[in-house]
Amino acid sequence: MKMVLMTVFILGGLFFFAVGTIGILRLPDLFTRAHSAAKCDTLGAVLCLIGLMLYSGFNFTSLKLLLVIAFLWITNPTATHLISKAVFMQEKNKKTME
């Protein structure tokens, strides 16, 4: 049962990584690409790490993986927001200079 759950979580994570990659390649502009990358990357990483937590069992490694999940959950959306905001401000400044 543990192996089945672990496989489901890891395959789910890989699915979201694949969807995010397709979104980066297919979407038209930076903002929609960033949205696709941030959502799918965060969810894919969390699902894969949960699968790894199930694989390792309840020990110190699981606690470290849980801390990595918390760190990713906070930093990935924040980084994407800051990158998008920087590009937006750069485009806004270009238009005001013209």
Side-chain angles (χ1 to χ4, degrees), residues 49-98:
L49 289 172
I50 289 172
L52 290 174
M53 285 173 64
L54 290 172
Y55 177 74
S56 71
F58 184 71
N59 55 19
F60 190 64
T61 304
S62 295
L63 179 64
K64 288 192 251 183
L65 289 171
L66 187 63
L67 289 173
V68 170
I69 288 172
F71 181 72
L72 283 175
W73 220 319
I74 293 169
T75 57
N76 276 359
T78 305
T80 303
H81 173 75
L82 289 176
I83 291 169
S84 298
K85 186 174 180 180
V87 171
F88 177 74
M89 294 304 279
Q90 184 180 15
E91 288 180 4
K92 184 178 170 184
N93 287 338
K94 276 185 186 178
K95 287 182 182 179
T96 58
M97 292 274 205
E98 293 175 357

